[in-house]
Amino acid sequence: MKEVRDALRAALPEAEERISWSMPTYWKKYNIIQFAGFKNHVGLHPGPEAVQEFSERLKEYKTSKGNIQLPYSRTVPVELISNIARWCYVTGNHP
């Protein structure tokens, strides 16, 4: 989870880190992106528009209703997380 947090902090240096719904949330006038740790994966919550926009690059991950499951058993896709976070911020599409 530290790698996910570090990737989001680097991608969104102008965003404030808050806790919303018991999840780390990156905020700048609105919630940009959130994540949470689960037993077998990190859940990244960029919203349905982001999941649709990045669907080609997310084929190898489980997605549902604007959420992406990143299994602990795999390398964290830092570049992909950064690209999704910046896209959410720049376009205003968010969870």
Side-chain angles (χ1 to χ4, degrees), residues 11-78:
L12 302 168
E14 62 279 351
E16 194 179 310
E17 186 177 19
R18 297 179 171 188
I19 301 295
S20 296
W21 300 83
S22 300
M23 292 184 283
T25 301
Y26 291 83
W27 186 91
K28 179 81 176 196
K29 298 183 183 177
Y30 53 82
N31 288 342
I32 301 167
I33 195 167
Q34 301 169 306
F35 73 96
F38 297 95
K39 184 178 179 181
N40 296 315
H41 69 276
V42 172
L44 188 65
H45 309 287
E49 292 87 358
V51 171
Q52 183 177 0
E53 178 69 23
F54 289 88
S55 62
E56 280 299 311
R57 294 179 62 191
L58 292 170
K59 283 184 178 179
E60 56 191 274
Y61 300 99
K62 184 174 180 184
T63 61
S64 174
K65 300 180 184 177
N67 302 312
I68 305 162
Q69 291 184 7
L70 306 169
Y72 292 127
S73 60
R74 299 186 59 191
T75 303
V76 175
V78 174

